[in-house]
Amino acid sequence: MNEEYGARTLRRADWKRRASRFFGQWGVFFRGFVEHPRMVGSIIPSSDYTIEAMLAPVDWQRCEVFVEYGPGVGTFCQPVLDRLRRDGALIVIDTNPLYIDYLKRTIRDSRFHAVLGSAADVEDIVAAHGHGSADYVLSGLPFSTLPDGVGPVIASATHRVLREGGAFMVYQFSARARDFMARHFRRIDAGFEWRNVPPCRLFWGWKE
């Protein structure tokens, strides 16, 4: 009887930990959206379908440096780390200290680096971590609501920091991001994921 009671107690404690982690993450994400709605693309994190679709084209064997703009509460971070080489690096950049603090507290991986800063400074940030270029750059930043002039600067800096054969990977709810990408990337593959709230457009700009 005592063993059965102990097992039930452990299950309840585990459920509480999982629930706390889940709602804690959503609470942080929602707070970030309320405080900076123009810098957060959606009130709901990306779906698993969007994550799988966005990461599908990545050649993980050749991926040494993966960069993400606007990681939020880390929806893409663990899926990327699960696929990334043991000697690889995941550098995430966000202007919101709430998100950066949360990520530093919750992701314990020597390959993971959370940076409080602007995606426009990606070249300096990548160099500061000892790398000359990035293999892939993922962005969920809402290009349609960024301050004037910021989108083109980010797109330009991203093209420069990528190695040849690398890709700028963007998921958006509007097609405006493609306009910024098209000035630098001649080949842009496109997709659409309706199993997301709301449904989103997917773009992969390849540096050739």
Side-chain angles (χ1 to χ4, degrees):
M1 190 67 156
N2 288 336
E3 290 183 4
E4 183 180 347
Y5 176 78
R8 287 202 302 270
T9 301
L10 287 173
R11 285 196 295 270
R12 283 198 298 270
D14 182 62
W15 182 86
K16 287 180 180 179
R17 281 194 298 271
R18 290 171 181 266
S20 176
R21 187 162 57 243
F22 175 78
F23 289 109
Q25 183 184 57
W26 274 73
V28 172
F29 190 89
F30 182 72
R31 179 181 164 189
F33 178 82
V34 170
E35 292 179 356
H36 304 282
R38 288 171 60 88
M39 299 303 292
V40 180
S42 170
I43 196 171
I44 298 175
S46 301
S47 71
D48 290 342
Y49 299 105
T50 300
I51 294 171
E52 290 296 324
M54 284 305 307
L55 299 181
V58 176
D59 181 353
W60 294 104
Q61 293 300 315
R62 293 193 62 197
C63 182
E64 188 175 333
V65 180
F66 193 106
V67 177
E68 182 182 5
Y69 302 154
V73 292
T75 306
F76 275 89
C77 293
Q78 195 57 55
V80 170
L81 289 169
D82 289 343
R83 295 163 172 78
L84 191 64
R85 291 165 26 173
R86 290 185 180 181
D87 62 344
L90 168 58
I91 303 171
V92 302
I93 307 169
D94 207 302
T95 58
N96 192 330
L98 176 69
Y99 290 152
I100 293 299
D101 178 66
Y102 176 80
L103 292 173
K104 286 182 175 180
R105 286 188 290 106
T106 56
I107 298 181
R108 304 294 183 183
D109 191 310
S110 61
R111 300 169 298 169
F112 180 74
H113 310 278
V115 178
L116 179 64
S118 170
D121 299 322
V122 62
E123 293 168 283
D124 292 337
I125 292 171
V126 168
H129 285 81
H131 305 286
S133 63
D135 299 288
Y136 297 91
V137 176
L138 172 69
S139 174
L141 296 177
F143 277 85
S144 59
T145 61
L146 291 177
D148 289 344
V150 175
V153 171
I154 291 175
S156 178
T158 302
H159 184 267
R160 290 193 301 270
V161 81
L162 281 169
R163 65 163 171 83
E164 291 204 5
F168 185 22
M169 309 158 65
V170 178
Y171 57 100
Q172 295 279 279
F173 305 121
S174 77
R176 190 175 180 191
R178 193 185 192 287
D179 297 336
F180 296 122
M181 298 170 70
R183 301 173 189 175
H184 307 282
F185 299 90
R186 287 187 295 177
R187 174 191 165 192
I188 300 178
D189 298 334
F192 184 79
E193 183 50 68
W194 60 271
R195 294 167 298 183
N196 196 78
V197 182
C200 63
R201 299 173 182 272
L202 317 177
F203 302 105
W204 299 267
W206 298 92
K207 184 171 180 177
E208 298 177 331

